[in-house]
Amino acid sequence: MTINIASGDLGILKAGKYVLCFAKKVGSTYNVVWSSATDFLESNTFSWTPQYALFGTNTFRGGVTVKADTNVVPIGLGSQSTLDNNGHLGDPSSSADPTSITLINNYGSIHPGVSSVCTDINGNTSTNPIYVAENPIVKGSDALTPVESVMVWFDQNIQTSTMFSDSRSNPVEIDLTQANTATRLYSDEIWTTPPLRDALGLLPFLTITAALTGAVIAHDLALKISAKLTGVYSNFTIEVQVAADKKVTMIYGQRPNLTAAASKLTRQLIQASSTVDQLAQFALQALAQCQVGYTSFDAVAAP
């Protein structure tokens, strides 16, 4: 996602020593600063991959940095880990809930916590806490469901991994359950969504629409397609939008800030039918990797 800040607001925020903050939703809750930055500029890019880790902690307290008191285990959606009576998390195994991370608690009172991988506005990748249960759970199980929704706001005297329980001042919530990318503009202390062309800085080269036989996560599908955009295709970007009726739209465009020569070459490539065929093939391969089929698939190149 891209967070743009108007120049006038940038100066005010810097003078006030504000921090640009991101948090990720788990269930219906935001309560940990996933990433924070003081060196934000007029345009800032933040991204993540759906990779998680599970831990337990003895404490939830607003304004305090998260501390894992158990061992930390990498875990994926649809998996579970057992906290034994010694307070040790075991290796993950499959669970019955494909959308959640399940903690089987044989230990006793504990606050479950989840971490996730993100790439901050400076391009540094790390695994940071995104959630800690405010109330401890007793023996039993707890399903933790990360949601592809991110809250962004400006704050003072706060840092990455800080827990909070009160509402944040003037945040914007960005729902990415149906899309893999988003742009927001902060101007005159108001959050707005720029028009698509302004957000992407380009017109789409190729638009693919498909009716799917199953559900996909837009961010996951976009990551799989992006991984294929190498070599002569490295100057292309992909945006994915998923509708509730299992219809997906995949939009190929040109990477921003290319040199004039690179931009010209990319535009020449898209005129070739072989390029259209290859980009469509990338989309089909990514759908197969997501283990979902389709009942219709249409690719339309821009005139």
Side-chain angles (χ1 to χ4, degrees):
M1 71 169 57
T2 301
I3 302 299
N4 293 330
I5 305 169
S7 58
D9 294 80
L10 183 66
I12 294 171
L13 292 167
K14 293 286 189 178
K17 297 183 179 179
Y18 278 86
V19 180
L20 175 60
C21 300
F22 299 85
K24 184 176 175 66
K25 182 185 284 187
V26 175
S28 59
T29 302
Y30 297 99
N31 67 6
V32 177
V33 179
W34 189 11
S35 180
S36 65
T38 58
D39 51 352
F40 51 87
L41 299 171
E42 290 190 17
S43 183
N44 309 276
T45 301
F46 179 78
S47 63
W48 62 93
T49 55
Q51 298 175 350
Y52 301 100
L54 179 67
F55 63 91
T57 180
N58 290 321
T59 305
F60 179 94
R61 186 183 305 165
V64 175
T65 301
V66 176
K67 174 182 175 292
D69 292 310
T70 69
N71 59 312
V72 179
V73 293
I75 195 168
L77 299 180
S79 297
Q80 64 184 29
S81 176
T82 298
L83 185 67
D84 66 22
N85 56 9
N86 294 316
H88 179 82
L89 282 166
D91 293 337
S93 59
S94 297
S95 70
D97 186 346
T99 63
S100 297
I101 296 165
T102 302
L103 172 65
I104 308 297
N105 180 19
N106 293 334
Y107 172 74
S109 180
I110 197 76
H111 296 260
V114 179
S115 297
S116 187
V117 176
C118 67
T119 301
D120 66 20
I121 65 170
N122 295 308
N124 301 312
T125 299
S126 59
T127 302
N128 302 327
I130 59 172
Y131 172 80
V132 172
E134 294 191 25
N135 297 311
I137 64 168
V138 296
K139 289 184 178 181
S141 65
D142 191 23
L144 310 169
T145 307
V147 179
E148 292 302 313
S149 187
V150 174
M151 185 169 70
V152 184
W153 75 101
F154 295 98
D155 213 328
Q156 295 170 306
N157 303 315
I158 200 167
Q159 62 184 2
T160 300
S161 301
T162 300
M163 295 175 277
F164 58 89
S165 56
D166 52 349
S167 60
R168 302 291 89 186
S169 176
N170 193 22
V172 60
E173 183 174 21
I174 304 174
D175 184 347
L176 287 168
T177 56
Q178 307 298 327
N180 73 294
T181 187
T183 298
R184 295 295 184 270
L185 171 65
Y186 184 80
S187 179
D188 294 329
E189 301 183 22
I190 297 172
W191 292 101
T192 58
T193 303
L196 180 61
R197 180 174 180 176
D198 292 342
L200 296 177
L202 50 90
L203 286 172
F205 284 145
L206 177 66
T207 300
I208 299 172
T209 56
L212 306 182
T213 59
V216 295
I217 298 173
H219 191 68
D220 186 32
L221 179 58
L223 285 174
K224 287 178 169 55
I225 296 174
S226 295
K228 305 177 190 304
L229 298 177
T230 59
V232 295
Y233 305 105
S234 60
N235 290 333
F236 289 102
T237 60
I238 183 70
E239 179 187 358
V240 176
Q241 300 170 346
V242 179
D245 57 359
K246 298 180 183 177
K247 290 184 178 178
V248 61
T249 301
M250 294 162 276
I251 304 171
Y252 285 98
Q254 175 184 294
R255 289 191 181 279
N257 304 319
L258 293 180
T259 64
S263 179
K264 181 179 179 180
L265 175 61
T266 303
R267 292 180 180 275
Q268 289 173 341
L269 276 173
I270 200 63
Q271 300 302 316
S273 60
S274 58
T275 301
V276 173
D277 292 342
Q278 185 60 70
L279 294 177
Q281 189 63 33
F282 288 157
L284 290 171
Q285 292 169 357
L287 288 172
Q289 288 178 287
C290 292
Q291 299 182 331
V292 64
Y294 57 92
T295 57
S296 66
F297 186 93
D298 298 299
V300 179

